[in-house]
Amino acid sequence: MKNINLIDPVKIEYLYKEDSLEVHCFLVSHENGLILVDAGYAEDDGSGKARSLEQIEAALVRNLANWDDISDVIVTHAHRDHFGVLTEVVAKIPHKSKVWAGSADVQSIKAQSHFEGEIAGLHEGNFVKVLRTISTPGHTAGHICLVHDQASVLFMGDLVDTLKGYLARPPTEFTEDQALAEKSLEKVAQLDFARVLFSHGEEISKPVQALRLFLADSNNQSGEK
Ligand SMILES: [Zn+2]
């Protein structure tokens, strides 16, 4: 395994209601291997599975790595475009890597994915190797963001996206508790990071500044109503 890319964003492309959409998962290197943040996309009927698995494998090849290098898989939340190929990924890893998720989402991921292995619950401040958990409920009850302190990177999950090239909240029908999600967003906006990696959409420059402006703008707009 070459230890050049500290973090390698893996783009999973898929067809969704005739539109091509994309979700990122990430390979994060640590001393003894790789962490996979999120596990690709698959619909209820399993469509998209083969493609997601192929795209993760291509990223491993790009990094001169193997499935066996994955020590841990962390699922940011219980939505199908984030754990779609969890069972298939873990089946590929000979030593079986450890699987983690925000503790309040563990049961939901198990129920939806039929993943039969153990999923360990993460709470605020818990570390998985180099990644620290920030509990950010709302989008789902157990949604988590992750922080790579050493690289000053935040993994945003689905609190906001940049699919259209600018910051936007996910469509309301996908968020369980909008008010709670907003609180979580305000919580991460108070922290400082050099980079923010979004599950949907590309990186933007000065992300923390942009996030604070985005929240200030939304507050002004809701005050004017
Ligand atoms: Zn989601």
Side-chain angles (χ1 to χ4, degrees):
M1 190 182 78
K2 90 181 163 182
N3 202 2
I4 296 174
N5 290 315
L6 198 60
I7 297 158
D8 190 2
V10 183
K11 213 177 264 188
I12 308 289
E13 292 169 49
Y14 59 93
L15 277 174
Y16 177 74
K17 290 179 186 164
E18 289 154 26
D19 270 334
S20 177
L21 269 187
E22 61 178 55
V23 56
H24 292 127
C25 51
F26 304 92
L27 288 171
V28 180
S29 61
H30 62 84
E31 236 179 16
N32 308 308
L34 297 168
I35 302 168
L36 177 66
V37 176
D38 281 340
Y41 166 79
E43 263 298 359
D44 257 344
D45 59 4
S47 63
K49 274 190 178 174
R51 189 153 169 73
S52 286
L53 209 58
E54 257 170 43
Q55 286 168 332
I56 295 170
E57 187 159 282
L60 288 168
V61 170
R62 190 161 70 227
N63 288 288
L64 307 180
N66 302 306
W67 288 105
D68 202 21
D69 290 315
I70 298 177
S71 60
D72 303 86
V73 181
I74 309 176
V75 178
T76 58
H77 65 287
H79 282 164
R80 207 162 276 288
D81 51 337
H82 298 258
F83 63 74
V85 290
L86 180 60
T87 301
E88 290 75 6
V89 160
V90 173
K92 286 264 188 192
I93 304 169
H95 60 82
K96 302 287 175 211
S97 64
K98 197 147 188 199
V99 180
W100 309 84
S103 57
D105 269 8
V106 167
Q107 286 317 316
S108 172
I109 293 167
K110 283 195 153 192
Q112 294 180 69
S113 68
H114 308 295
F115 175 67
E116 283 173 1
E118 196 194 328
I119 302 177
L122 289 170
H123 299 269
E124 178 80 21
N126 287 166
F127 274 86
V128 177
K129 309 286 192 302
V130 289
L131 296 180
R132 179 165 55 90
T133 306
I134 304 187
S135 174
T136 48
H139 181 66
T140 62
H143 186 283
I144 54 170
C145 293
L146 296 162
V147 180
H148 193 309
D149 288 302
Q150 193 196 336
S152 190
V153 169
L154 171 76
F155 296 82
M156 182 61 94
D158 272 7
L159 285 187
V160 280
D161 65 63
T162 56
L163 271 178
K164 292 178 182 147
Y166 49 84
L167 288 168
R169 293 173 183 82
T172 48
E173 66 263 37
F174 295 130
T175 291
E176 283 174 18
D177 184 332
Q178 203 73 51
L180 192 56
E182 206 56 25
K183 270 192 190 160
S184 291
L185 192 54
E186 280 164 18
K187 175 179 167 182
V188 295
Q190 282 165 13
L191 309 172
D192 251 317
F193 311 98
R195 297 169 64 195
V196 175
L197 300 175
F198 301 91
S199 293
H200 304 280
E202 301 301 324
E203 279 190 71
I204 52 173
S205 64
K206 299 191 179 159
V208 174
Q209 212 174 319
L211 196 57
R212 287 172 190 167
L213 275 173
F214 172 73
L215 284 171
D217 274 359
S218 332
N219 287 340
N220 285 341
Q221 276 168 21
S222 56
E224 282 163 13
K225 270 178 203 163

